[in-house]
Amino acid sequence: SAPRSDPEEPRISAYACQRRTPLDHLNKIFTDASEVLAENAEFSESEGRGLAFRKAGSVLRSLPFAVSRMEDLRGVPCLGEHSRKIIQEILEDGVSGEVEGVLRSERYRAMKALTGVFGVGVKTADRWVREGLRTPGDLLTSGHRLSREQEAGVRYYEDLNCPVTRAEADAIGEIVKEAVHSILPGARVTLTGGFRRGKEAGHDVDLLITHPEEGKEEGLLGKLTSWLDSQGVLLYQRVSEGSGGRGRESGPMDHFHRSFSILKLGEQPGAPPGPPQPGASSAGQTQEAASPRGQGGAQGRGWRAVRVDLVICPYSQFAYALLGWTGSQQFERDLRRFASQERDMSLNSHGLYQREQVRTPPPPHCISESSPPLSLSLSLSSPPL
Ligand code: DGT
Ligand code: MG
């Protein structure tokens, strides 16, 4: 194969946002390994180590050749000593002993199963594992008190851990579009997240909603979710008023009005899910179970549960919101880091700011009464994301 260390060759950027990264790449054997090690680090709240493996995975995804010997990695950034050791192991033995060990470990498996429950983060899962719980099924028998979100997570565990297909995402998009247009004609619904990047499957459906006339989008989320509820489509939701702050697992949060929801999708993609179920008129109260023990999968039931994020944004911020919600996570992280370190600017899903720019208060529709002033949360002193 061609030498990779040619000084004439352009250097690979250490910023994911400056690397062309194909959907199907050539180094899956290595990125699968770094994914496991990143997860395992995150499960022990070693954020730095987790991030290092995420960065390694990201750069490996961008390589236009399959790594076949260590020399191929000369000049490739973002690969620490540990990552290189794992790659070497895989090149020599076909597998990494360390990764195999993690995959076999009881703790990793239990953490993976429990953090797979919607509404369960690393801290909670870790506490449960130390108490001896291993699976979502154990949660039901142990009599642990669950939040409403976790209850929904357990109820729909199988469905929510079954990848959402592109066709299903489009069908959800159509349902939401129909609802939005009946409430607010002219509003725009855009499929974002992994599907916007061309992925064929994902863990959820991310929809960004706006209206070309600034301000018209106000109050839309409540009407939209009421409409979905009245159609029997809304299985669960939690609304975030846009109070801001940082997400624990999912990166920086923005200040948009947003619903973390679970929607019901009928058997035929695009088909209506049928009339509201008796007793199911209020989201989260539905009694039908998608059991975590295996009897409750979508097959035969005629519908499946899908995680959907509904995000409302004012039109003036739409470009930034679209950019911020398209991902990937590593691309977004590095785009913000690039803005900050290379351009002395600050980027988020609301806008791009000059560092020294004095922040003007945001338009009133961006903040809820309970949230701190946006100018504070966008403070220049916040560390690079
Ligand atoms: P998936 O769903 O697992 O197939 O993969 P993605 O890439 O769709 O990831 P997802 O759904 O977690 O998030 C989509 C993008 O949206 C992600 O790259 C970053 C962004 N994002 C997610 N949550 C938040 C949030 O709370 N605030 C902001 N500003 N962006 C977020
Ligand atoms: Mg997504």
Side-chain angles (χ1 to χ4, degrees):
S1 58
R4 326 277 184 214
S5 52
D6 185 343
E8 295 299 302
E9 254 181 56
R11 276 187 54 81
I12 299 169
S13 173
Y15 291 104
C17 56
Q18 291 191 304
R19 300 191 294 254
R20 187 180 292 275
T21 305
L23 214 47
D24 293 313
H25 64 92
L26 302 165
N27 291 291
K28 200 163 177 323
I29 189 168
F30 307 111
T31 56
D32 284 351
S34 54
E35 166 99 24
V36 170
L37 296 175
E39 270 181 331
N40 194 48
E42 286 153 8
F43 289 162
S44 36
E45 295 187 64
S46 305
E47 306 287 335
R49 211 152 41 89
L51 197 55
F53 287 123
R54 298 265 171 221
K55 283 184 166 183
S58 170
V59 80
L60 289 167
R61 251 178 231 112
S62 76
L63 298 180
F65 54 88
V67 173
S68 60
R69 50 203 182 122
M70 287 310 281
E71 297 84 83
D72 291 346
L73 297 176
R74 216 175 293 154
V76 176
C78 310
L79 293 175
E81 214 173 292
H82 198 157
S83 289
R84 286 177 187 267
K85 197 190 96 204
I86 300 292
I87 294 169
Q88 184 158 15
E89 251 188 308
I90 295 174
L91 286 174
E92 285 167 7
D93 308 334
V95 291
S96 150
E98 184 178 342
V99 173
E100 295 294 294
V102 169
L103 286 171
R104 272 195 310 269
S105 86
E106 198 183 0
R107 181 182 149 78
Y108 171 82
R109 293 161 82 112
M111 287 295 289
K112 179 102 178 151
L114 293 173
T115 55
V117 176
F118 174 53
V120 177
V122 167
K123 280 200 169 68
T124 304
D126 178 66
R127 194 175 70 241
W128 288 341
V129 170
R130 281 189 280 112
E131 288 170 19
L133 304 188
R134 295 292 175 264
T135 67
D138 293 346
L139 278 172
L140 295 179
T141 47
S142 69
H144 273 71
R145 272 190 71 86
L146 300 179
S147 67
R148 204 171 65 85
E149 186 162 61
Q150 292 163 349
E151 243 171 56
V154 171
R155 182 175 301 142
Y156 303 115
Y157 185 77
E158 293 238 318
D159 278 4
L160 301 188
N161 281 281
C162 173
V164 182
T165 65
R166 173 85 211 192
E168 288 168 336
D170 287 337
I172 291 279
E174 287 308 314
I175 293 171
V176 171
K177 255 180 218 162
E178 193 192 325
V180 165
H181 291 156
S182 75
I183 300 162
L184 182 63
R188 294 188 191 169
V189 179
T190 308
L191 183 61
T192 64
F195 291 111
R196 183 156 187 267
R197 304 197 304 276
K199 276 173 65 175
E200 280 303 319
H203 97 282
D204 67 356
V205 180
D206 305 293
L207 293 168
L208 186 60
I209 304 166
T210 188
H211 191 285
E213 241 176 277
E214 188 94 353
K216 284 255 184 183
E217 79 290 347
E218 278 177 62
L220 177 58
L221 191 62
K223 289 178 197 154
L224 169 59
T225 55
S226 296
W227 193 98
L228 294 170
D229 197 16
S230 73
Q231 301 295 303
V233 178
L234 189 65
L235 296 169
Y236 169 86
Q237 80 152 335
R238 176 168 63 84
V239 169
S240 157
E241 293 291 337
S243 55
R246 296 271 167 78
R248 278 168 307 161
E249 279 86 32
S250 58
M253 302 291 280
D254 52 45
H255 304 260
F256 296 125
H257 204 189
R258 165 181 179 183
S259 168
F260 302 77
S261 59
I262 300 175
L263 299 192
K264 182 175 183 175
L265 181 65
E267 203 161 39
Q268 308 296 321
Q277 305 291 326
S281 59
S282 172
Q285 301 302 306
T286 312
Q287 291 308 304
E288 296 161 278
S291 156
R293 292 187 191 153
Q295 311 97 314
Q299 291 92 341
R301 207 203 300 121
W303 58 271
R304 68 161 292 179
V306 180
R307 264 279 297 122
V308 180
D309 276 342
L310 303 168
V311 182
I312 310 284
C313 85
Y315 199 61
S316 59
Q317 299 174 20
F318 178 70
Y320 297 101
L322 184 60
L323 179 61
W325 273 87
T326 298
S328 68
Q329 277 215 25
Q330 199 54 45
F331 180 92
E332 301 292 344
R333 204 177 268 140
D334 280 0
L335 199 58
R336 295 189 295 264
R337 199 165 59 90
F338 183 88
S340 152
Q341 295 183 354
E342 306 294 329
R343 295 288 181 272
D344 202 25
M345 294 174 103
S346 159
L347 174 72
N348 59 28
S349 292
H350 299 277
L352 178 65
Y353 310 87
Q354 292 289 350
R355 286 286 200 165
E356 51 286 311
Q357 187 175 311
V358 177
R359 300 288 157 77
T360 49
H365 49 260
C366 294
I367 44 171
S368 72
E369 279 145 37
S370 58
S371 66
L374 194 62
S375 51
L376 243 191
S377 314
L378 293 177
S379 141
L380 299 175
S381 60
S382 52
L385 310 171

